[in-house]
Amino acid sequence: MEINLIRKNNKFNFEAQNPSGQTVELDAKPEIGGEGKGFRPMEMLLVGLGGCSGIDVVNVLTKQKEPLDDVKIKINATRKDQEMPPIFDVINIHFDLYGALNVQKVERALALTFEKYCSVSNILERSATLNFTYEIHQ
């Protein structure tokens, strides 16, 4: 896997590109001169967590033939601001799942996601407490 970044201005704005050509912009926090032109790197870690776990949950529920109509994911995280570097302390990820879903199958899908499949959560839980919750909306 290769990701390439190019600097877009004479400050902290970068554009990252993956092998397929998709791009995302990154920028620093305003306190050090960032201009709000992209995600901050730590935000990108949370995006990766949401994407990885979301893909895995959808994949498992699809294989279980569950009628998943939609999924929305909300992530909140706190950082160890008194430490250097200020890594994540606690990450809470909540799934709003839509459809006539079986509770046991949803719980199994989430367990498999966080215990086995999602490599991003596996990496992050080595340094932070990772909590997941869900709600099923019929």
Side-chain angles (χ1 to χ4, degrees):
M1 177 183 312
E2 181 177 304
I3 302 294
N4 292 294
L5 287 93
I6 58 167
R7 192 171 177 200
K8 297 204 41 158
N9 63 12
N10 62 354
K11 294 201 177 206
F12 302 101
N13 182 218
F14 286 84
E15 179 182 84
Q17 183 176 42
N18 69 8
S20 300
Q22 285 91 12
T23 61
V24 64
E25 288 198 40
L26 296 102
D27 204 349
K29 60 185 176 182
E31 292 83 12
I32 67 165
E35 299 176 325
K37 293 184 177 182
F39 282 88
R40 293 196 269 186
M42 292 297 280
E43 292 171 338
M44 288 299 298
L45 282 175
L46 298 179
V47 170
L49 172 63
C52 181
S53 61
I55 288 168
D56 289 338
V57 166
V58 169
N59 189 35
V60 173
L61 290 173
T62 299
K63 287 180 179 178
Q64 293 175 335
K65 300 192 184 326
E66 282 296 288
L68 178 65
D69 296 327
D70 199 4
V71 60
K72 295 179 182 175
I73 303 166
K74 183 177 185 176
I75 302 171
N76 287 296
T78 58
R79 294 172 71 176
K80 297 178 183 178
D81 289 328
Q82 309 310 322
E83 295 182 12
M84 233 357 128
I87 62 173
F88 289 120
D89 182 24
V90 178
I91 302 171
N92 297 308
I93 181 167
H94 179 79
F95 294 81
D96 283 303
L97 303 160
Y98 297 82
L101 302 166
N102 177 292
V103 171
Q104 289 79 20
K105 288 185 177 183
V106 166
E107 289 178 354
R108 177 78 175 138
L110 288 165
L112 284 169
T113 292
F114 289 101
E115 293 170 11
K116 185 175 182 179
Y117 296 127
C118 180
S119 53
V120 177
S121 70
N122 188 281
I123 291 167
L124 289 173
E125 73 183 2
R126 295 174 190 200
S127 60
T129 301
L130 208 66
N131 304 305
F132 69 87
T133 56
Y134 73 92
E135 186 173 347
I136 298 173
H137 305 274
Q138 300 287 334

